[in-house]
Amino acid sequence: MAAPAVEGAAVAVTALRSVLLRVRQAAERSGHRPERIRVVGVSKTKPVSLIRQVYDAGHRCFGENYVQEIIDKAPQLPEDIKWHFIGHLQSNKVKTLLGGVPNLDIFEGVDNEKIANHLDRGVANLGRSPLKVFVQVNTSGEACTFPFINYCGFIAAKSGIDPSGCLGLVEYVKLHCPNLAFSGLMTIGNPDYSSTPENFRTLLNCRLEVCKALGMAEDQCELSMGMSGDFEQAIEMGSTNVRVGSTIFGPRDYAKKQQN
């Protein structure tokens, strides 16, 4: 019974090495520094044993989209893993996430002031060092899910802040959330998780606006864009953080997924 698991781990490790090579080649083609690009292995629905095999191959950065999964997996894996939580988070799950994953490295999904405030208070209550966060931007222009008006008067949504409100949300995090370290911008792309060059250009434009307004160097504002189907194009357009799941770990088994 162990043979399929061993075979799956070998496939994942080989796939990881292929992804890292493709990342390097995409960076070199476009004049970017390969060492500045982070590959997040998105392991949702995958067992701890498979993640451990990829870890043993030398990888240290993994991401999850669901609170229950990450708080179940993190304690079973080495503490030097740098976990990313990716996407929208309900405010009532903040305490569970922060308390359950002390080695959470980056939160990729601040899409409104409410979640920023909850994260800020949660980090303060735990007495941990400031948590790095990416502001999530809705670059596809799809209809907002559960939209509301934020403090700047811009529309915010479950899928990210509208580009017109990006600067305002970044300013809010930097001015009002001392326990959060604004580190970059993130987009998921289209509702089906695909992306287009226009999605990437929108995020690039948001970074230009943010850096100009706040006097930041562009290399101080990461761009998290690109997934399994388009990470090479994203890197060529300037991504510093790509989120690669199925290309490394294989197709996901959503029948096993636990909702957060």
Side-chain angles (χ1 to χ4, degrees):
M1 294 179 63
V6 172
E7 181 180 344
V11 170
V13 169
T14 299
L16 169 67
R17 291 171 180 158
S18 174
V19 165
L20 295 176
L21 176 60
R22 290 166 63 189
V23 165
R24 174 170 291 277
Q25 291 171 337
E28 290 173 347
R29 281 197 303 271
S30 51
H32 296 107
R33 293 166 57 186
E35 67 273 13
R36 296 290 303 275
I37 299 165
R38 181 191 302 108
V39 176
V40 182
V42 182
S43 48
K44 63 181 178 181
T45 81
K46 298 303 177 180
V48 167
S49 58
L50 184 56
I51 301 170
R52 180 64 200 232
Q53 291 294 328
V54 175
Y55 171 91
D56 288 343
H59 203 62
R60 293 293 181 271
C61 187
F62 296 90
E64 293 284 344
N65 299 80
Y66 302 103
V67 171
Q68 192 60 50
E69 276 200 82
I70 195 170
I71 66 171
D72 286 347
K73 292 174 180 178
Q76 302 179 62
L77 290 160
E79 294 180 357
D80 65 335
I81 285 179
K82 295 183 175 182
W83 287 103
H84 288 218
F85 186 85
I86 302 165
H88 179 79
L89 178 68
Q90 294 176 335
S91 57
N92 63 351
K93 300 291 185 182
V94 166
K95 183 177 180 181
T96 300
L97 174 65
L98 295 178
V101 190
N103 51 333
L104 181 67
D105 187 50
I106 300 180
F107 181 88
E108 299 197 37
V110 171
D111 52 8
N112 60 70
E113 295 84 21
K114 181 179 179 181
I115 195 65
N117 289 333
H118 279 270
L119 285 166
D120 184 63
R121 287 195 296 268
V123 171
N125 290 339
L126 288 172
R128 61 161 285 172
S129 57
L131 175 66
K132 290 179 284 187
V133 299
F134 293 165
V135 164
Q136 183 178 353
V137 182
N138 177 349
T139 61
S140 63
E142 79 271 16
C144 293
T145 305
F146 309 124
F148 58 93
I149 304 298
N150 71 4
Y151 90 113
C152 295
F154 293 108
I155 294 177
K158 184 175 181 179
S159 55
I161 190 78
D162 187 86
S164 62
C166 176
L167 173 58
L169 182 54
V170 172
E171 288 178 325
Y172 185 90
V173 170
K174 290 181 72 69
L175 290 173
H176 300 287
C177 302
N179 299 290
L180 303 182
F182 169 72
S183 300
L185 305 175
M186 172 269 213
T187 184
I188 286 177
N190 295 317
D192 63 357
Y193 295 95
S194 66
S195 293
T196 67
E198 189 57 39
N199 294 143
F200 299 151
R201 277 192 289 270
T202 297
L203 202 66
L204 283 162
N205 290 336
C206 286
R207 181 173 69 174
L208 285 172
E209 181 185 22
V210 166
C211 290
K212 181 178 180 180
L214 302 182
M216 295 175 61
E218 287 189 15
D219 62 5
Q220 294 180 320
C221 182
E222 290 202 50
L223 292 179
S224 177
M225 58 187 194
M227 294 182 280
S228 284
D230 52 26
F231 68 87
E232 288 160 301
Q233 182 181 51
I235 289 167
E236 290 170 358
M237 294 187 68
S239 179
T240 59
N241 186 89
V242 292
R243 310 178 304 271
V244 184
S246 58
T247 297
I248 295 173
F249 293 102
R252 297 186 176 106
D253 184 358
Y254 286 101
K256 296 180 180 179
K257 177 181 69 67
Q258 293 175 289
Q259 297 286 350
N260 64 338

